[in-house]
């Protein structure tokens, strides 16, 4: 087994099947402030950090969430995640078999990442190896979060592979000089999702963790 490789996981839509719940949380948070959006708008924002999502929603709909209301997003998200969040199918078995270094690099806040991993029972697979876009200047599709994570973990970009479900994440991984594998096994997967990730630069697209395992072996990351 190679010991010089790092697998970097996005969190939302990859480790945990959170995107449909996260979209509902935004709809509820905006409604709480007298603003109307729908989940379709949120689908254009998958992979972005919160500040960029709010800006994108404003651009697409003209609806602008007041600065003082941003905490409502996490309040609604945390409640939904606590009640309903599940991990993606077979991810625990995959992580149990994975014998190389791994970490999380997500656009979500550290608090949200930790909560997601705790309620789904995945936290012990990563320990303190959690990295958030809040730790870097630019969010995805910039490469900042992936380069930061690899540096902190002690791995070169060319020996780092990123598992991502969003085009912004794939673009960021490619810009970082890393191999990107697209994951389309989450509940938000849609027609054209796989081709979208390939067009963004993913080396392969997988709909199951067995397929991810095969890709990692083929590319000699495990």
């Amino acid at each position: 087994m190679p010991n010089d490789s790092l697998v970097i996981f996005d969190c939302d839509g990859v480790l945990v099947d959170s995107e449909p719940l996260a979209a509902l949380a935004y709809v509820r948070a905006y409604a709480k402030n007298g603003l109307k959006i729908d989940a379709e708008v949120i689908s254009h924002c998958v992979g972005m950090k919160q500040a960029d999502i709010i800006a994108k929603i404003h651009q697409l709909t003209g609806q602008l969430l007041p600065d003082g209301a941003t905490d409502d997003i996490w309040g609604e998200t945390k409640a939904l995640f606590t009640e309903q969040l599940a991990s993606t199918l077979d991810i625990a078995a995959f992580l149990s078999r994975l014998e190389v270094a791994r970490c999380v690099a997500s656009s979500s806040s550290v608090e949200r990442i930790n909560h997601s991993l705790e309620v789904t029972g995945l936290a012990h697979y990563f320990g303190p190896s959690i990295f958030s876009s809040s730790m870097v200047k630019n969010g995805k599709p910039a490469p900042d979060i992936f380069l930061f994570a690899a540096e902190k973990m002690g791995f070169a970009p060319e020996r780092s592979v990123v598992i991502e479900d969003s085009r912004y994440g794939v673009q960021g991984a490619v810009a970082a000089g890393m191999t990107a594998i697209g994951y389309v096994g989450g509940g938000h997967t849609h027609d054209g999702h796989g081709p979208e990730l390939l067009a963004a630069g993913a080396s392969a697209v997988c709909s199951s963790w067995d397929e991810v395992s095969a890709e990692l072996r083929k590319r000699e990351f495990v």
Side-chain angles (χ1 to χ4, degrees):
M1 300 291 289
N3 58 11
D4 65 338
S5 57
L6 170 69
V7 181
I8 302 176
F9 295 85
D10 178 40
C11 184
D12 297 290
V14 173
L15 295 173
V16 299
D17 199 5
S18 58
E19 295 295 359
L21 294 177
L24 177 57
Y26 271 90
V27 171
R28 289 183 176 180
Y30 274 66
K32 196 172 184 178
N33 290 275
L35 303 171
K36 185 175 182 179
I37 61 169
D38 57 33
E40 173 64 23
V41 172
I42 308 303
S43 69
H44 296 285
C45 308
V46 172
M48 293 179 169
K49 63 182 181 180
Q50 181 172 290
D52 293 340
I53 292 174
I54 292 170
K56 186 71 170 180
I57 292 171
H58 185 210
Q59 176 193 340
L60 293 173
T61 69
Q63 305 278 10
L64 180 60
L65 193 68
D67 288 341
T70 54
D71 286 348
D72 291 336
I73 298 171
W74 172 233
E76 296 291 342
T77 303
K78 187 175 184 180
L80 285 167
F81 281 15
T82 300
E83 296 169 2
Q84 302 180 42
L85 186 63
S87 58
T88 54
L89 184 64
D90 297 328
I91 182 59
F94 173 84
L95 292 171
S96 296
R97 296 191 301 267
L98 189 63
E99 296 183 20
V100 298
R102 84 289 299 267
C103 68
V104 178
S106 170
S107 294
S108 293
S109 67
V110 173
E111 182 179 11
R112 173 168 156 171
I113 299 166
N114 286 332
H115 185 71
S116 297
L117 298 180
E118 286 164 7
V119 299
T120 55
L122 300 179
H124 68 283
Y125 291 111
F126 296 96
S129 301
I130 304 293
F131 305 100
S132 163
S133 288
S134 63
M135 299 174 177
V136 296
K137 181 179 180 181
N138 300 301
K140 305 171 187 178
D144 302 27
I145 182 61
F146 298 121
L147 293 172
F148 180 76
E151 179 183 4
K152 291 296 184 183
M153 295 293 294
F155 291 86
E158 60 269 22
R159 290 305 301 162
S160 302
V161 57
V162 179
I163 316 297
E164 266 285 355
D165 68 310
S166 78
R167 67 180 183 275
Y168 298 115
V170 168
Q171 288 167 349
V174 172
M178 301 176 182
T179 298
I181 295 177
Y183 178 74
V184 293
H188 63 301
T189 292
H190 54 275
D191 289 343
H193 191 180
E196 178 183 283
L197 299 183
L198 290 171
S203 298
V205 169
C206 303
S207 60
S208 73
W209 288 105
D210 283 343
E211 291 179 11
V212 173
S213 291
E215 284 295 329
L216 292 176
R217 287 194 299 272
K218 182 169 74 174
R219 298 170 192 282
E220 299 184 342
F221 281 103
V222 298

